[in-house]
Amino acid sequence: MNSKGSKKVYIRTFGCQMNERDSELISGMLRDDDYDITEDIEKADIILFNTCSVRQHAEDRVIGNLQKLKTRKKKNPDLKIGVLGCMAQRHGEMLFKEYPQVDVVVGPSNIYDIPKLLIDGKTEEKTLAVKNKKRPKKGPTPEYRNGTFSAFVNIMYGCNNYCSYCIVPYVRGREVSRPKKEIVKEVKMLADKGFKEVMLLGQNVNSYGKGQTQKVNLAELLEAVNRVKGIERIRFTTSNPKDAEKSLFRAMRDFDKVCEYLHLPIQSGSNKILDLMNRKYSYENYVRKIDLLRSMIPDVGLSTDILIGFPSEKERDFKDTIKAMEEIKYNSAFIFKYSPRPPAMSSFLVDDVPEYIKKERNTELLNIQKKISHAKNKELIGTEQEVLIEGKSRMSEKEMVGRIRNNTSCVVKGDDSLIGKIVKVKIVGTSPFTLKGELEADLFLSGE
Ligand code: 5AD
Ligand code: SF4
């Protein structure tokens, strides 16, 4: 398998937005090298899984997919199978032993080597690339992007926080910020191509700039990106509450393109659990930040992650989490059941909350959040909002769906011609998670 040319590559992504962006980069590098990218796994000569290790369930899905390929690989030894991303870094060589159908294993900090590995690595020589623990600040910058109006932009890689439950520092390495100049250059290039929205990505964007020779923080980066002509919306994710500061809230308030939306994972409402999680903030401390943010931007959209069933989570700890949700009233929340991730520190604690309790707590929180989300959405009825239309609604052929600035989904009557446009709507109704908007006199704010 040494030639590329007409080789067809299928890439499937598991996990977070950083992985989505990595897959897009890999796809771009391979396109630049004359590979064909296919959506059809059956037609592929090379199958790449860009994997996630955040929970056991994420890994199980990849393993299921690898198992399905076993007979196909036996029948066609020329088929090349690659495991990329977080699972590759976490399990390394073991993947070749357990799943001999796998040819290439490449960790997240080594993805720039993929084109070379696909040429050099012969089928009979398994290739393991997990050596780089830290992602190089600079890499190839293929032009290819998945979309036409909204793009992910990496601003930093890795994480230094070591929350006790989390695999990320072990698989994505130490924190590295990309230089501000490089990021702004990329955003300008996107604006020139007609992109309207950028989502700045990092594991903890609030510590952007730390350890750089040129002193710069997230607020200053936002200011620079805000100046890029053509870009109309700026989002960023994900934030660690311990580092979320007034300078960021001020940037969100003062820079017109920065959307009024913050994803601020609380994980638990119990100080005992937060301490065991090594989160480095207390519930009171977290709420003070939310109060400050809401006093500066009253209509800010807030979402969170909650991790239930962490070792030693008792009923009273869970009650604290319920209380937190009821007090803070997020617009939306992602709820996850704890799973131990060796070598992360909490894997040394006994996973003592039984699965059925995790399930019960999960369902209870989902029900509470559904009511809160519905109530928050009802508050928006009668208001005017701007919606960036993303595509067709899943519910109706005649409706399109997009997001208002606070990140809530909103459906609007219309057709494909609205995709990528920002339209002004009046909110006329809502379901628990989706607003209904009416176009205001077909008045486009942009996109002509
Ligand atoms: N088990 C379950 N959920 C986890 N998360 C991180 N690590 C684990 C784990 N070991 C959740 C956290 C994080 C989100 C991306 O995934 O809530 O914010
Ligand atoms: Fe999954 Fe975390 Fe890796 Fe993203 S960084 S793919 S969430 S393990």
Side-chain angles (χ1 to χ4, degrees):
M1 242 285 313
N2 289 339
S3 65
K4 35 189 185 174
S6 59
K7 292 273 180 247
K8 286 188 168 52
V9 186
Y10 168 89
I11 307 176
R12 174 151 177 208
T13 312
F14 300 81
C16 63
Q17 289 135 320
M18 335 289 152
N19 254 22
E20 273 180 47
R21 173 63 189 134
D22 280 351
S23 292
E24 189 180 57
L25 261 170
I26 295 163
S27 178
M29 290 188 291
L30 295 178
R31 280 166 206 264
D32 287 351
D33 268 8
D34 286 337
Y35 288 92
D36 281 343
I37 305 294
T38 174
E39 307 262 296
D40 185 353
I41 191 168
E42 299 301 328
K43 296 214 172 96
D45 304 297
I46 300 173
I47 297 174
L48 303 176
F49 293 131
N50 194 10
T51 62
C52 171
S53 287
V54 76
R55 283 169 286 278
Q56 188 53 43
H57 176 67
E59 293 205 358
D60 292 344
R61 284 172 60 212
V62 174
I63 290 165
N65 278 279
L66 285 177
Q67 266 152 353
K68 273 195 241 159
L69 292 174
K70 214 170 167 177
T71 22
R72 187 165 151 197
K73 173 79 177 179
K74 269 207 186 113
K75 279 195 209 140
N76 174 15
D78 279 345
L79 173 72
K80 195 162 241 191
I81 300 173
V83 176
L84 320 177
C86 297
M87 257 179 101
Q89 192 71 33
R90 180 160 184 251
H91 297 296
E93 201 122 15
M94 183 282 273
L95 289 164
F96 295 134
K97 293 200 182 103
E98 299 266 324
Y99 311 100
Q101 63 272 44
V102 174
D103 303 289
V104 197
V105 171
V106 186
S109 299
N110 299 268
I111 62 166
Y112 302 138
D113 296 335
I114 289 172
K116 186 175 172 302
L117 294 174
L118 289 182
I119 298 173
D120 293 352
K122 302 199 178 56
T123 321
E124 62 275 19
E125 282 170 22
K126 309 260 171 183
T127 315
L128 176 71
V130 292
K131 257 204 332 269
N132 272 350
K133 294 276 186 277
K134 227 177 178 182
R135 178 95 150 229
K137 275 189 200 176
K138 284 192 183 182
T141 45
E143 286 205 2
Y144 173 76
R145 294 279 169 167
N146 286 333
T148 53
F149 57 89
S150 179
F152 292 137
V153 175
N154 289 320
I155 65 166
M156 58 202 297
Y157 307 111
C159 180
N160 285 351
N161 285 329
Y162 289 96
C163 299
S164 68
Y165 51 80
C166 188
I167 194 72
V168 170
Y170 304 90
V171 290
R172 289 208 169 239
R174 295 293 78 71
E175 207 170 272
V176 189
S177 293
R178 286 180 71 200
K180 181 170 115 181
K181 235 170 73 190
E182 294 279 314
I183 297 168
V184 173
K185 198 167 110 192
E186 185 173 335
V187 174
K188 277 188 180 148
M189 185 268 288
L190 289 164
D192 287 346
K193 289 183 157 179
F195 282 84
K196 292 207 172 72
E197 180 179 70
V198 285
M199 167 79 100
L200 309 181
L201 295 181
Q203 294 296 344
N204 176 19
V205 293
N206 297 105
S207 64
Y208 172 75
K210 279 191 188 147
Q212 280 209 42
T213 32
Q214 171 208 14
K215 279 272 154 276
V216 57
N217 64 20
L218 179 61
E220 286 155 350
L221 177 69
L222 288 171
E223 183 178 17
V225 176
N226 196 65
R227 276 200 296 266
V228 178
K229 274 212 189 75
I231 294 297
E232 296 181 40
R233 282 186 172 191
I234 303 166
R235 299 187 183 279
F236 54 89
T237 200
T238 186
S239 295
N240 189 313
K242 80 177 170 58
D243 299 315
E245 283 170 0
K246 196 168 181 180
S247 67
L248 171 66
F249 304 161
R250 220 183 279 128
M252 289 169 68
R253 184 193 59 192
D254 296 344
F255 304 140
D256 57 326
K257 298 172 185 172
V258 180
C259 289
E260 298 74 27
Y261 165 65
L262 187 65
H263 180 64
L264 201 65
I266 187 171
Q267 310 298 358
S268 170
S270 152
N271 284 334
K272 178 192 96 183
I273 298 293
L274 286 173
D275 197 35
L276 287 170
M277 287 177 166
N278 192 30
R279 291 289 283 174
K280 303 194 180 90
Y281 56 84
S282 64
Y283 174 62
E284 293 73 23
N285 199 309
Y286 179 96
V287 168
R288 263 198 297 279
K289 294 195 182 194
I290 298 280
D291 287 346
L292 174 65
L293 172 61
R294 282 185 164 149
S295 73
M296 293 169 70
I297 312 173
D299 56 353
V300 68
L302 272 175
S303 64
T304 200
D305 290 344
I306 290 178
L307 184 44
I308 43 139
F310 188 86
S312 84
E313 183 186 73
K314 299 282 181 289
E315 194 57 33
R316 62 176 176 281
D317 300 307
F318 180 60
K319 288 262 147 58
D320 284 345
T321 300
I322 294 181
K323 191 170 136 260
M325 289 182 85
E326 285 174 340
E327 280 178 2
I328 296 167
K329 296 191 174 33
Y330 295 101
N331 298 71
S332 64
F334 302 90
I335 296 154
F336 304 104
K337 289 183 286 167
Y338 172 77
S339 75
R341 312 311 294 138
M345 286 313 282
S346 71
S347 65
F348 298 103
L349 303 172
V350 184
D351 182 16
D352 58 356
V353 180
E355 186 57 29
Y356 79 93
I357 303 248
K358 286 182 187 166
K359 275 197 185 131
E360 273 175 24
R361 291 182 181 168
N362 190 32
T363 311
E364 192 171 345
L365 288 194
L366 286 173
N367 288 334
I368 292 172
Q369 183 55 44
K370 190 172 174 183
K371 285 197 191 111
I372 297 172
S373 294
H374 204 173
K376 297 289 285 182
N377 283 355
K378 280 181 186 161
E379 286 171 13
L380 293 172
I381 293 178
T383 62
E384 278 185 2
Q385 302 288 339
E386 292 169 14
V387 186
L388 171 54
I389 303 291
E390 293 169 3
K392 264 203 175 19
S393 145
R394 270 183 301 168
M395 306 307 269
S396 156
E397 272 290 296
K398 294 189 181 123
E399 278 179 341
M400 306 303 288
V401 67
R403 279 167 202 282
I404 68 169
R405 284 179 65 103
N406 90 356
N407 207 43
T408 308
S409 292
C410 180
V411 293
V412 181
K413 251 200 207 114
D415 55 32
D416 287 355
S417 66
L418 292 182
I419 293 176
K421 292 188 168 136
I422 295 180
V423 295
K424 216 173 189 181
V425 302
K426 186 161 188 180
I427 304 301
V428 293
T430 187
S431 66
F433 300 113
T434 311
L435 298 164
K436 192 175 170 64
E438 244 168 37
L439 280 182
E440 291 207 338
D442 283 347
L443 176 70
F444 295 162
L445 288 183
S446 71
E448 292 309 311

